[in-house]
Amino acid sequence: MKITPGASAARFESAWSELAGIGRDRRSGGYSRHVFDDADLLLREWFTDQATRRGLDVETDRNGNLWAWWGPPAPGAVVTGSHLDSVPGGGAFDGPLGVVSALLAVDELRSRRVAPSRPIAVVCFAEEEGGRFGLPCLGSRLLTGAADPDRVRRLHDANSLSLADAAKHAGVDPRYLGPDAERLALIGCFVELHVEQGRLLHAADPQAVLGVGSRIVAHGRWRLTVSGEGNHAGTTAPADRHDPMVPAAAGVLAARRVLTGHPGAVATVGRIRPIPGGTNVIASAVEVWLDVRHGSAADTAELVDEIAAELREEAAMEGCTVTVHRESMSEQVTLDVGMAMQLADLLSAPVIPTGAGHDAGILAAEVPSAMMFVRNPSGVSHAPGEHADTADCLAGVDGLAEVLAALAG
Ligand SMILES: [Zn+2]
C-alpha cells in the first residue's frame, strides 16, 4: 500500500499548522500542554472537531480520555492514538504525532475503500506526561485500574489546585474516576505511533524510517526532600548553617556518579525547588525530583537507594535530614511479542526497546499492545528541538494505515 499522493500531505500540514499555536511558549518555542488547562481544553476541542468532521463518534470516558469511534463500539475494537499533552517546554511531536497519524490513517483507509470488520477507535489519553499532577500515564492508569482514584483525586498541581477540581472545571466528574472494565473489554488491541525518543532506531538500522517497539524499561519518579534551617544569607556564619541546598547539590552529582556502576541506567534531576526560594535566603528545605530508568523495578530501586544514601551522608554533615517519597513506578514492560513480529513484518522495520514511558506500556498489562516509532534524526525529545521530517511522518501514517487494515480487516 502506498499513500495517496498529496492528500495525506495536505491533511498533515493542515493539522500540524492548526496545532502549532496551542500552548506554545513564543520565547522558547516549547509546548506546555497539561491536562485540563487552557491549552488542553483547546486541543480537546480541536480533536473533537477533527473527529466529528470525519463522521467519527466522539466521547469522553469517565477518566477524561477522548475516544473517536469508526463503527459502533464493540468488543475486539482496534484502538490507536496517543496523547495531546506535553512535558513543560516540550516538543511538537511527542503525543500529537500519534493522534494526527491515527486520524490520517483513518482517512487513508477510507480513501482506499477499506471496510474494517472490527470497529476502529482513535484515543487521546489524558496527562500522559504527568506534567501537571506528577503521575505519568494518568488516563491509562485510571482506565486499567493501575492508579488508585482516591489518591489521584487528591493530587495537586503547582498552584495547589486538586486534580478533582481541575477535572470538574473541564467537565469531567471526579467522582467517577477509576477503573473502567466495560471500556477495557472493548479493546481488542492497541497500537501507539510515536516519534522516536533517543537514537536506538538509527543504531539498529541507519536507513530505517519506522521502528517497532519491543519493551519499555522500568522507570520511576521520586521526590527527595532535604530539610535544614532557613536563615539570613548575609548574617549566618558558614559554621552555623544547615543549608539544604548544599546536600541537594551533592545529590544531583551523585545521581550522575552512581551510573558508572549500572550500565544502561539513567538518572536525571530536571526539577528542584528551594523553599521558600529567595536570593538572600538560606532555604529551609529543598525538594529534588529524581527520574530513574533501568532494566527492572528492583534495579531502579537499588539505584535510587544508592543516590539517597549519598544524599543522606551529605545532609548529615550539614545538619540536615532527608525524606524519600516515591511518586510513581512502572515495571519493565514487554509489548505484545506476536503483534511486534506482525508489525515488523508488515513494515519491514527493526524492533527496538525504548527508555520512554508510554500509555501502550500501561495498556499492555491488559490488552495486546504495540508501538511504532517514527525516525527522529537528532534523537532530541522533551525539548523544543524535537523533530521528525514530514516525509517520515507520512510514511508513519501509511504504515499505521497498513497495520490497522491488517488488524481490523
Ligand atoms: Zn509521548
Side-chain angles (χ1 to χ4, degrees), residues 83 94-95 128-129 194 358:
H83 60 98
D94 180 355
E128 191 274 341
E129 302 288 4
H194 206 277
H358 296 286

Side-chain angles (χ1 to χ4, degrees), residues 82-83 85 93-96 128-129 192 194-195 197 356-359 371 382:
S82 191
H83 60 98
D85 68 302
F93 294 83
D94 180 355
E128 191 274 341
E129 302 288 4
E192 180 169 4
H194 206 277
V195 68
Q197 302 168 287
H358 296 286
D359 292 306
M371 290 205 71
H382 284 187

Side-chain angles (χ1 to χ4, degrees), residues 16 24 28-29 48 50 56 75 96-97 106 111 129 145 153 172 179 185 228 243 251 266 277 288 312 318 344 368 390:
W16 222 242
R24 185 165 187 257
S28 70
T48 303
Q50 288 286 321
L56 308 178
L97 183 62
V106 167
S111 74
E129 302 288 4
R153 276 186 281 266
V172 174
D243 181 352
V266 286
V288 177
R312 283 203 175 92
E318 185 70 14
T390 301

